[in-house]
Amino acid sequence: MSTYLLVHGAWHSGQCWERVVPLLESAGHRVLAPSLTGHGDKAHLLSREVGLDTHVDDIVGLITEEDLTEVILVGHSYAGLVISSAAHQVPDRIAHLVYLDAMVPQDGESAADVLPATQVLIDLAAKSDIGWRVPPPLEIPGAPGLFGVTDPADAAWLRAMLSDQSVRCLQQPVRLDNPAVNTIPRTHIHCVAGGQERFPRRPVPAIQPNGSPAQVWELATGHDCMITMPVELTELLLKLGLG
């Protein structure tokens, strides 16, 4: 049995994994899909002080409190920063890092550094009356659907799930200063709906930090593949499991 820890991206909640969790569990694995502080069942905790470090603490705290080991840690979108920082705190508990259409930061980078388009959302929030809340981008020019979700019923379900993000989450830099994390294997899963990448992303180095060849898989769907292609995503994640 493997332990999968699924970490949602910005504006989402743990509910977005609802179609993937039972598929992994039916294969005999343990699955956790928490909502980060400020989202889902923790939406009431959102404040200007909630930042990337808060979300890293959420994940590290869950791993240590549940005494999880050999974790397959999956981060979607913004959560690429979260899982990177979490792994640097508890590398001995992580079996595999999965960057699911995710930001992949270098030490000292923020979400705005990895994806400069994020700065537009930060600037808009700064001009608002509140100044620190970043509402979900419900419409992106030239981008199909809501986070790549085009089915009307699915889009409505997703829209009801989304909530504001604190600016601090997008501005706070990662701290990646533990060389032990370099031994952890990595997999990158890119969403390439229509054969095109949804967001500009940095090339994945041909060699992983642990010396193994890079492992990059693709799903021909939009950004929120856990909603649009849960079966296909699960099949890929199962390839990383134990047993």
Side-chain angles (χ1 to χ4, degrees):
M1 180 184 74
S2 295
T3 297
Y4 290 84
L5 178 46
L6 312 177
V7 187
H8 65 81
W11 303 292
H12 291 57
S13 75
Q15 186 183 5
C16 71
W17 302 102
E18 189 174 281
R19 299 174 182 177
V20 173
V21 170
L23 297 176
L24 290 172
E25 289 179 335
S26 66
H29 302 294
R30 184 180 183 186
V31 187
L32 298 93
S35 289
L36 299 173
T37 297
H39 301 282
D41 59 347
K42 301 172 185 172
H44 62 288
L45 299 176
L46 183 66
S47 74
R48 68 170 62 249
E49 300 305 320
V50 172
L52 173 63
D53 285 354
T54 311
H55 293 160
V56 174
D57 289 345
D58 288 340
I59 298 305
V60 172
L62 179 61
I63 290 172
T64 55
E65 288 167 13
E66 295 289 331
D67 195 22
L68 305 179
T69 58
E70 295 296 313
V71 176
I72 298 174
L73 186 56
V74 182
H76 177 243
S77 197
Y78 153 81
L81 282 76
V82 178
I83 68 169
S84 295
S85 289
H88 274 257
Q89 291 193 32
V90 287
D92 55 316
R93 293 178 177 268
I94 310 301
H96 207 107
L97 287 170
V98 182
Y99 291 89
L100 180 58
D101 218 33
M103 300 180 186
V104 186
Q106 300 295 321
D107 186 31
E109 289 188 322
S110 68
D113 294 319
V114 180
L115 187 63
T118 305
Q119 188 62 46
V120 175
L121 301 176
I122 294 172
D123 293 342
L124 288 173
K127 296 175 182 177
S128 69
D129 292 338
I130 298 177
W132 59 268
R133 296 177 76 114
V134 181
L138 299 182
E139 294 184 8
I140 302 176
L146 178 63
F147 291 96
V149 178
T150 56
D151 177 84
D154 286 347
W157 177 69
L158 173 59
R159 188 175 293 108
M161 180 195 314
L162 300 176
S163 60
D164 291 356
Q165 190 91 2
S166 168
V167 164
R168 190 173 176 83
C169 298
L170 307 178
Q171 293 178 317
Q172 201 164 37
V174 297
R175 295 194 300 270
L176 309 178
D177 53 6
N178 187 348
V181 80
N182 292 334
T183 64
I184 303 172
R186 304 180 178 196
T187 294
H188 301 260
I189 302 176
H190 295 168
C191 297
V192 290
Q196 299 295 318
E197 294 182 344
R198 173 72 162 73
F199 294 110
R201 61 169 62 90
R202 297 168 175 173
V204 176
I207 302 298
Q208 298 185 43
N210 68 356
S212 301
Q215 183 158 265
V216 182
W217 298 331
E218 293 184 349
L219 287 172
T221 190
H223 186 54
D224 279 5
C225 57
M226 72 288 290
I227 296 173
T228 58
M229 278 193 172
V231 173
E232 294 84 351
L233 173 59
T234 299
E235 289 173 349
L236 293 181
L237 295 178
L238 287 174
K239 292 181 180 181
L240 307 174
L242 300 174

